């Protein structure tokens, strides 16, 4: 102890309460009887304890420890008998050490228990040392003055100027100035007023009696409050009693004052351990407590959590060290689903169950409400009332959870430290990083179901503070207008970890766009920082001195400001590592605090999230904080507090991490309800049809009906819980708000030009996925069409998809695919397609222009699906919603794959036609790429079905890989879709193929004819491979059938040969017949005829065992069938005329060979042509028009039109002579094995002789 000044003493007589007169004279504390009553009231004996003489004697501070020992049943007799207590060295009675270790003029009493100081700053020790455990000593101060009391080590040395607390080896408390000392000083304790307890509340009172009483209490109980089992069993029970007994306001006041006592009378580490154990206990109890009907347990635990977090010091400690670092505190925002319906009392809340009887593909009831029976209507209304009761109870819990987040986002509690919001931001960013990268401890990663609830509560708290700031700052924006300014993405203030940007890696963008950053955002990227940011530069050594000396100094501000020395932090290895791994950046303005002119630039330096301060986020006088580098397109007025912008950014990232995935997963409950409802309805129908005499079947059906009904009762109540916690109207509005935030963010980012590339990819992903969730997951209870501003939002999203699916600033393959798939889905539904048609005309034309770009070197399949969906409903027999061949075989199977109802867009089709007519190169480049991809897709399909057929014919049991089946079906679907795009093109702009005044029309028509003939030959050949694979009906190949592909080919032929002008029909007919692959029997196959009918005869009825378009009258109109018959008659007549003309020219004229023309195509069947007398191009081999079918094994595997007539040496592969001769003009490698062909020999089946010709 140390004293300053004179006449200051510590008197033993004043401490000993042996004489009432002496007590009154010295201390004046309280009468002995009142003290006895007070202590007995505080430390009452257990009711079962025997009344002993010792318990009846008056209690005072001298015998209080003995009384506490009796109450706690502390047995220290063994230690007492040994005369030593563990952790303590020295005599049993503690006295002052008058022999040494003190400084200054001190007068010590004879009993060595009192001392008076007469020097400037005297210090004296006691005779006891403690080295283990928790210890406390008491001193009674009998005079006024400045004094410090504390602990010191044996090595501590004092003098007249430095006493206890003034050295590194000592710690002291100064009650006069209310401060604690250890070389430096900080505030500690409260001045003058301590604590008093009455029947209603705790109040501060300056009575030494209460002070000493509490000192005894915490001396005994402080070590115990660090033990988890005592915290959970005793302290938690006590606090729960406080919360349950009074109102929330009373409970919060009580808990706050209890926490004040803990921080006042316990060491910081003791309180911290106690709070840590308390929060862990609260978390366990909240997480594992049963779901009772009124959710009272969860409500009490959340109220206690709120009461604890309302205490500022406790809240900041828990935020800094516990909530995100030790605990999975997101559990507090989760409302778990009951494992059993009975557990949550849902049977009482929802006594009547109901479920939709039928649902459409989009999840909405196809049965109108007006068609309900009276009983169904009554059940539905009762079920809805039960759902509302459940929702109201859950909303109470959700409001408490929002209050917790409001406390954590408080930024007004910055007295004596950092505000809670900025601590939360640091921890929240780390939480996002762990969940985004997956590099954290897997058990600590947040489960998706927790993340969903956390997101909704965070949005509620965020919007509350956003609108609160708007109320006090009229220039700010409402939360309905929220978005993230684009400068947040490139000024480095917010850490996006290793998440992909739209333009690629951040280090690459900083290099390539540094000039744009300087000109548009006034931000300079230091060249050495760019060098350090490259991933291949791993040298972390200090920069050599010569290099530092040779580096030119750079000015931070342009326009006449002298160059400033380069600061040392720009070349530190720590900063280099931070730059290399793209940590959070903060801006250091090394110029005077004044407004920056338009010509001035600002350099940035990087800081970790933990190093950021409030100024780095919110900004200061001339520092814009997170909004540094505002582009000229952005408004100057603030949106809101910068810290709230970062919270909003984190909320968007949370949705991208796992929320969308979980929303889709929870739809499974609704799907289960639909499946059981269908099963129950089928069972009821069977019961009605079952004969009454079959009692055994009736019993089984009745049993099944009961099982399905009980399961539906359970699932419908569980579905009510899911709708209240996940798919409620409020949750839908949260997701809708997040969608609009992303749309505005993308729109503002797009205005910055090249800097748009800095935006993280997840903003576009969230915009796409949140729209999908609103459309598909929240029905049928809530409809997106009821949301405010629904039409405007659809149009804005359509504009974003139309513009950015082909945006060159976006380089990521995944996000580009997502944009294309989203646009393809967008044009499938009438509402969204109308939104695409509402965007500005120039944007629509730009979108169609991008769709018509050549398919090479880009993902063409998705683009083709978009064009196909614009055409569905207009093509030949292209109005079906389910695959007709499947409905023909299984008409009652409700699980068959279905398609969206056709909704073609004539407006976008017109844009496509205008663009194809616009320039000489647009149509040829687009159609050549379509034909190339069609050739590839169909060839791959044929190759795969050959492998599938070979595997099916093996004797040993063999399973075809499901992935191979899926790829095979995909190639087939691609072939069909490409044919439909060709049909759309011919319908809209037939002159591209038929107007031979165009330089490329004839070439395109010939290529088209070749591909159409090959497809027809492969699909329509007798006993062919396609027939055998279709007959197998393998799982995964359901879409592979004659109808989809033959109808698409028929649509193209009808457009060319029936609907076109006379001159165009004549040209198309001549090219089609002149193609060596043309076989008239393939056209006959379309109508189920083995051979063409005689001229003027009526077509016979089709054979049911053969394919025929006439069998699909539900999907092909009478007019369309008439057009096919007209086409067949026309081709039959033209083929006969061409054959006759060919015979005449062969008898009377010399064949005139034209120059062999090579058409740029991947189809290996370009032929030499003969010119007939009539001027028409005719086949060089009239035998190709023969109607006699050829076995597929004997046909050329390349053109599938001519018989095999040549064999290659040395590999032995075969083809027709036309194909190999054409191929050898440009290539000497075999079609199949790529071996060099040395010679080609004639080959005939069962031939005995052959002729050899050189390949050269």
């Amino acid at each position: 102890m140390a004293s300053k000044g004179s006449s200051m003493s510590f008197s033993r007589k004043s401490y000993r309460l042996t004489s009432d007169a002496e007590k009154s004279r010295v201390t004046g504390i309280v009468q002995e009887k009142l003290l006895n009553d007070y202590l007995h009231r505080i430390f009452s004996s257990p009711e079962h304890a025997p009344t002993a003489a010792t318990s009846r004697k008056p209690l005072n501070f001298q015998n209080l420890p003995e009384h506490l020992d009796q109450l706690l049943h502390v047995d220290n007799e063994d230690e007492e008998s040994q005369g030593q207590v563990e952790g303590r060295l020295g005599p049993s009675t503690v006295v002052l050490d008058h022999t040494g270790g003190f400084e200054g003029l001190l007068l010590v009493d004879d009993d060595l228990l009192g001392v008076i100081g007469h020097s400037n700053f005297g210090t004296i020790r006691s005779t006891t040392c403690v080295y283990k455990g928790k210890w406390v000593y008491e001193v009674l101060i009998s005079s006024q003055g400045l004094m410090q009391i504390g602990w010191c080590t044996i090595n501590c040395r004092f003098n007249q100027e430095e006493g206890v607390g003034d050295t590194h080896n000592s710690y002291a408390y100064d009650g006069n100035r209310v401060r604690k000392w250890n070389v430096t000083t900080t505030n500690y304790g409260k001045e003058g007023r301590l604590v008093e307890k009455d029947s209603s509340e705790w109040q501060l009172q300056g009575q030494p009696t209460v002070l000493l009483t509490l000192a005894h209490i915490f001396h005994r109980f402080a070590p115990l409050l660090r033990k988890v089992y005592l915290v959970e069993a005793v302290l938690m029970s006590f606090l729960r009693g406080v919360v349950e007994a009074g109102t929330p306001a009373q409970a919060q006041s009580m808990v706050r004052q209890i926490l004040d006592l803990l921080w006042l009378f316990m060491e910081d580490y003791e309180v911290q351990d106690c709070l840590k154990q308390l929060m862990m206990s609260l978390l366990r109890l909240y997480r594992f407590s049963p779901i009772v009907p009124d959710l009272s347990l969860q409500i009490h635990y959340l109220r206690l959590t709120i009461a604890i977090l309302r205490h500022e010091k406790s809240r900041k400690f828990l935020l800094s060290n516990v909530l995100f670092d030790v605990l999975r505190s997101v559990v507090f925002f989760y409302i778990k689903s009951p494992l059993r319906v009975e557990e949550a009392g849902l049977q009482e809340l929802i006594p009547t169950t109901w479920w939709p009887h039928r649902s459409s593909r989009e999840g909405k009831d196809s049965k109108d409400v007006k068609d309900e029976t009276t009983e169904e209507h009554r059940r539905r209304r009762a079920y809805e009332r039960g759902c509302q009761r459940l929702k109201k109870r859950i909303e109470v819990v959700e409001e408490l959870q929002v209050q917790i987040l409001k406390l954590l986002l408080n930024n007004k509690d910055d007295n004596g430290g950092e505000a809670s919001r900025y601590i939360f931001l640091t921890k929240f960013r780390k939480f996002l990083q762990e969940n985004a990268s997956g590099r954290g401890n897997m058990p600590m990663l947040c489960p998706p179901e927790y993340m969903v609830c956390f997101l909704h509560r965070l949005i509620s708290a965020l919007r509350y503070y956003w609108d609160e700031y708007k109320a006090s700052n009229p220039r700010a924006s409402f939360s309905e207008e929220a978005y993230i300014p684009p400068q947040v993405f490139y000024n480095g203030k917010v850490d996006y970890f290793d998440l992909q940007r739209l333009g690629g890696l951040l280090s690459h963008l900083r290099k390539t766009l540094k000039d744009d950053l300087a000109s548009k955002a006034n931000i300079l990227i230091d060249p050495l920082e760019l060098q350090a940011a490259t991933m291949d530069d791993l040298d972390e050594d200090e920069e050599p001195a010569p290099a530092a000396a040779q580096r030119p100094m750079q000015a931070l501000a342009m326009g006449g400001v002298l160059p400033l020395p380069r600061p040392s932090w720009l070349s530190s290895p720590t900063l280099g590592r931070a730059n290399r791994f793209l940590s959070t950046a903060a801006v250091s303005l090394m110029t005077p605090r004044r407004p920056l002119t338009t010509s001035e630039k600002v350099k940035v330096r990087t800081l970790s999230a933990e190093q950021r301060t409030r100024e780095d986020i919110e900004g200061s006088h001339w520092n814009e904080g997170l909004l540094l580098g505002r582009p000229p397109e952005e408004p100057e007025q603030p949106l809101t507090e910068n810290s709230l912008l970062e919270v909003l950014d984190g909320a968007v990232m949370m949705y991208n991490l796992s929320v969308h995935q979980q929303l889709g997963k929870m739809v499974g409950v609704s799907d289960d309800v639909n499946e059981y409802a269908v099963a129950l309805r089928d069972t009821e129908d069977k019961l009605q049809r079952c004969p009454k005499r079959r009692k055994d079947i009736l019993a089984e059906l009745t049993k099944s009906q009961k099982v399905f009904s009980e399961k539906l009762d359970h699932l419908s109540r569980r579905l009510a819980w899911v709708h209240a916690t996940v798919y409620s109207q409020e949750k839908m509005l949260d997701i809708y708000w997040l969608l609009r935030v992303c749309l505005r963010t993308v729109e503002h980012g797009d205005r910055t030009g090249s800097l748009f590339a800095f935006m993280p990819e997840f903003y576009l992903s969230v915009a796409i996925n949140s729209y999908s969730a609103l459309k598909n997951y929240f029905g049928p209870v809530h409809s997106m069409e009821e949301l405010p501003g629904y039409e405007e939002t659809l149009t804005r999203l359509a504009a974003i998809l139309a513009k950015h699916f082909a945006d060159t600033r976006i380089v990521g393959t995944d996000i580009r695919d997502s944009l294309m798939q989203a646009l393809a889905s967008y044009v499938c539904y009438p509402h969204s397609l109308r939104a695409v048609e509402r965007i500005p005309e120039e944007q629509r034309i730009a979108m169609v222009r991008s769709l018509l770009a050549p398919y090479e070197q880009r993902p063409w399949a998705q683009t083709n699906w978009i064009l196909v969906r614009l055409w569905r409903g207009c093509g030949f027999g292209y109005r079906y919603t389910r695959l007709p061949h499947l409905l023909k075989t299984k008409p009652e199977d409700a699980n068959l794959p279905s398609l969206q109802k056709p909704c073609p867009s004539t407006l976008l089709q017109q844009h496509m036609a205008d663009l194809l007519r616009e320039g000489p190169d647009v149509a040829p480049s687009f159609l050549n790429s379509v034909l190339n991809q069609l050739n590839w897709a169909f060839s791959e399909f044929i190759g795969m079905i050959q492998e599938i057929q070979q595997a099916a014919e093996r004797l040993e049991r063999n399973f075809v890989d499901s992935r191979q089946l899926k790829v095979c079906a995909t190639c087939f679907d691609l072939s069909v879709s490409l044919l439909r795009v060709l049909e759309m093109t011919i319908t809209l702009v037939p002159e591209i193929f038929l107007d031979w005044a165009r330089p490329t029309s004839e070439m395109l028509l010939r290529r088209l004819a070749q591909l159409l003939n090959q497809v027809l030959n492969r699909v329509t050949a007798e006993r062919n491979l396609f027939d055998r694979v279709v007959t197998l009906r393998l799982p995964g190949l359901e879409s592979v059938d004659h109808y989809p592909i033959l109808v698409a080919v028929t649509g193209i032929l009808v457009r060319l040969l029936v609907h076109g002008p006379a001159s165009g029909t004549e040209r198309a007919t001549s090219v089609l017949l002149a193609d060596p692959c043309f076989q008239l029997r393939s056209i006959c196959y379309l109508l189920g005829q083995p051979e063409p009918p005689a001229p003027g005869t009526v077509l016979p009825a089709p054979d049911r065992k053969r394919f025929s378009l006439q069998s699909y009258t539900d999907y092909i109109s009478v007019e369309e069938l008439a057009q096919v018959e007209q086409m067949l008659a026309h081709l039959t007549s033209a083929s006969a005329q061409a054959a006759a003309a060919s015979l005449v020219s062969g008898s009377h004229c010399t064949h005139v060979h034209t120059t062999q023309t090579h058409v740029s195509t991947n189809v290996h069947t370009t032929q030499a042509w003969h010119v007939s007398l009539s001027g028409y191009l005719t086949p060089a081999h009239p035998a190709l028009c023969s109607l006699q079918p050829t076995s597929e094994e004997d046909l050329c595997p390349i053109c599938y039109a001519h018989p095999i007539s040549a064999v290659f040496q040395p590999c032995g592969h075969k083809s027709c002579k036309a194909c190999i001769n054409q191929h050898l003009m440009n290539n000497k490698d075999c079609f199949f094995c790529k071996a060099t062909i040395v010679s080609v020999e004639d080959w005939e089946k069962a031939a005995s002789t052959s002729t050899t010709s050189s390949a050269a």
Side-chain angles (χ1 to χ4, degrees), residues 169-183:
N169 297 324
S170 62
Y171 183 91
Y173 171 68
D174 182 350
N176 183 274
R177 293 179 288 186
V178 197
R179 303 182 73 83
K180 60 182 179 181
W181 292 80
N182 179 240
V183 180

Side-chain angles (χ1 to χ4, degrees), residues 746-764:
V746 173
E747 290 169 352
H748 282 262
D750 180 46
R751 298 170 191 165
T752 62
S754 59
L755 299 184
F756 177 63
F758 282 95
M759 179 178 291
E761 285 184 353
F762 65 79
Y763 274 89
L764 279 174

Side-chain angles (χ1 to χ4, degrees), residues 560-604:
V561 181
L562 293 177
L564 300 177
R566 188 174 189 273
S568 60
W569 55 262
L570 284 176
S571 58
S572 66
T574 302
L575 179 61
R577 289 190 293 271
N579 276 331
R580 185 172 298 114
F581 294 104
L582 310 178
S583 61
T584 304
V587 174
S588 175
L589 297 178
M590 293 166 290
T591 54
R593 296 294 186 185
R594 56 182 178 81
L596 293 174
T597 63
T598 56
S599 61
E600 293 182 346
K601 316 295 180 186
V602 177
K603 274 187 182 176
V604 298

Side-chain angles (χ1 to χ4, degrees), residues 512-762:
T512 56
L513 299 178
K514 60 181 180 179
D515 295 336
D516 292 336
L517 284 173
S519 61
K520 296 181 179 180
N522 292 332
I523 290 181
L524 288 180
I525 303 297
D526 188 82
L528 291 177
E529 292 185 18
L530 292 175
Q531 182 179 1
T534 56
M535 298 304 295
D536 55 346
D537 179 17
L538 299 179
D539 186 11
E540 295 182 359
D541 296 336
E542 291 284 352
E543 185 181 5
Q550 294 175 4
R551 182 179 58 247
M553 294 185 296
Q554 299 181 6
L556 299 179
M558 306 299 178
V561 181
L562 293 177
L564 300 177
R566 188 174 189 273
S568 60
W569 55 262
L570 284 176
S571 58
S572 66
T574 302
L575 179 61
R577 289 190 293 271
N579 276 331
R580 185 172 298 114
F581 294 104
L582 310 178
S583 61
T584 304
V587 174
S588 175
L589 297 178
M590 293 166 290
T591 54
R593 296 294 186 185
R594 56 182 178 81
L596 293 174
T597 63
T598 56
S599 61
E600 293 182 346
K601 316 295 180 186
V602 177
K603 274 187 182 176
V604 298
R605 67 184 179 96
T606 55
L607 292 174
S608 64
E610 292 79 4
Q611 292 175 321
R612 291 190 306 171
T613 63
R614 178 169 184 165
E615 181 179 342
D616 294 323
I617 299 174
E618 300 290 0
S620 58
H621 188 46
W622 299 117
N623 178 10
E624 295 181 276
L626 286 184
L627 301 183
L628 177 82
R630 180 179 60 83
E633 297 82 5
E634 279 297 297
E636 296 184 4
Q637 62 269 21
L639 287 172
T640 185
E641 296 172 283
N642 292 354
S643 53
L644 295 180
L645 292 175
E646 186 170 345
V647 176
L648 175 58
D649 176 79
V652 177
M653 190 185 300
M654 282 174 60
Y655 186 91
N656 181 68
L657 292 178
S658 57
V659 171
H660 181 74
Q661 173 189 0
Q662 182 64 18
L663 289 178
K665 181 179 178 182
M666 297 303 292
V667 178
V669 180
S670 179
D671 294 339
D672 291 342
V673 170
N674 293 331
E675 291 177 5
Y676 276 99
V678 171
L680 178 61
R681 186 172 64 253
D682 292 343
T683 305
E684 291 173 347
D685 293 341
K686 292 177 182 177
L687 274 172
Q688 294 177 358
R689 297 195 308 266
C690 182
K692 294 184 179 180
R693 54 188 174 80
R694 297 301 305 270
K695 296 183 179 180
D696 54 340
I697 298 179
L698 285 173
E700 290 297 326
L701 289 176
T702 304
K703 185 178 179 180
S704 300
Q705 182 186 27
K706 181 180 178 182
V707 170
F708 290 145
S709 298
E710 291 176 352
K711 188 65 176 179
L712 275 171
D713 288 341
H714 171 80
L715 286 176
S716 63
R717 292 187 176 100
R718 186 159 180 257
L719 184 62
W721 182 279
V722 172
H723 281 158
T725 56
V726 180
Y727 298 123
S728 67
Q729 180 71 20
E730 292 75 17
K731 311 300 185 303
M732 189 177 189
L733 288 172
D734 286 344
I735 304 301
Y736 184 61
W737 180 74
L738 215 57
L739 166 63
R740 292 168 67 90
V741 166
C742 292
L743 294 181
R744 281 188 290 268
T745 301
V746 173
E747 290 169 352
H748 282 262
D750 180 46
R751 298 170 191 165
T752 62
S754 59
L755 299 184
F756 177 63
F758 282 95
M759 179 178 291
E761 285 184 353
F762 65 79

Side-chain angles (χ1 to χ4, degrees), residues 248 286 293-300 302-303 306 332 335 388-404 457 724-725 731:
Y286 177 80
D294 60 352
L295 301 175
S296 57
L297 295 177
Q298 286 75 17
I299 290 173
H300 289 320
L302 290 174
R303 284 179 177 171
I306 292 172
F332 281 121
I335 303 178
Q388 286 299 319
R389 289 192 294 268
L390 175 63
K391 181 182 176 183
K392 289 180 180 179
R393 297 189 178 186
I394 291 177
E395 285 176 348
V396 175
V397 178
E398 292 176 346
E399 178 57 31
L400 293 174
Q401 293 171 334
V402 173
Q403 289 183 29
I404 292 177
R457 312 303 177 266
T725 56
K731 311 300 185 303

